[in-house]
Amino acid sequence: MASALLIAILAFGAPLFAKGSEGWFGLAPCELCLWQRWPYWVAGAFALIGLFVWRRPALRLAGLAAAASAGVAAFHLGVEFGWWPSPLPGCQAPSSGGAMSVEEMLRSLAPTPNKPCDQPAYLIPGLPLSMAGMNLIYGASLAILAWRLARKEPRA
């Protein structure tokens, strides 16, 4: 039971910290940053299910969800390093498109402010590890921890 609670706290803590970093540190998220948060909510929900029933499978699924966030983070790192472009339209820097008027450009902007996905957000200045890189490490570590804890749970 403690294993599932630990994974739930760690899973729910990741997107809450990311949201807090927007206000505390003034980091603007891009669309891929926001995509990385959703699997943590799923991981936390599976871990909460594991508090009551199916502890071993729930922890494995929580680990799989955390690994999904790490996968999105790895993709995001590739976009940041310029290895490939992001397919998400919200990740592109706004441009005039050549023949657009100012009114058309304003209408095409996203309703919420965002930034291009190829501009890394750094939590610690001078440390060459973006938020996407930190999330890759965190998500992979959480996945490994969840899978190891699931292995230690008795079969039910």
Side-chain angles (χ1 to χ4, degrees):
M1 188 132 129
S3 300
L5 184 59
L6 174 66
I7 297 300
I9 290 169
L10 292 173
F12 288 137
L16 292 175
F17 176 78
K19 180 66 176 164
S21 70
E22 293 174 27
W24 300 324
F25 308 115
L27 298 177
C30 68
E31 194 168 349
L32 279 172
C33 293
L34 298 175
W35 277 47
Q36 291 173 65
R37 297 177 189 180
W38 286 103
Y40 286 118
W41 295 115
V42 174
F46 278 128
L48 288 179
I49 290 169
L51 283 172
F52 305 106
V53 294
W54 305 310
R55 192 163 295 126
R56 191 176 241 197
L59 284 173
R60 286 182 180 153
L61 289 170
L64 186 62
S69 181
V72 175
F75 180 80
H76 191 179
L77 277 175
V79 171
E80 288 180 354
F81 285 121
W83 295 337
W84 48 74
S86 173
L88 301 175
C91 287
Q92 310 305 320
S95 67
S96 65
M100 293 177 72
S101 69
V102 173
E103 291 82 20
E104 291 170 328
M105 285 191 307
L106 288 174
R107 280 193 301 256
S108 71
L109 291 175
T112 57
N114 61 5
K115 65 177 193 63
C117 295
D118 60 354
Q119 294 179 357
Y122 295 101
L123 182 62
I124 304 169
L127 182 68
L129 189 61
S130 68
M131 288 289 280
M134 286 191 266
N135 184 54
L136 173 59
I137 294 167
Y138 188 84
S141 299
L142 183 60
I144 291 167
L145 178 63
W147 292 328
R148 285 189 176 171
L149 291 173
R151 206 173 9 166
K152 292 181 180 182
E153 287 294 327
R155 293 184 189 259

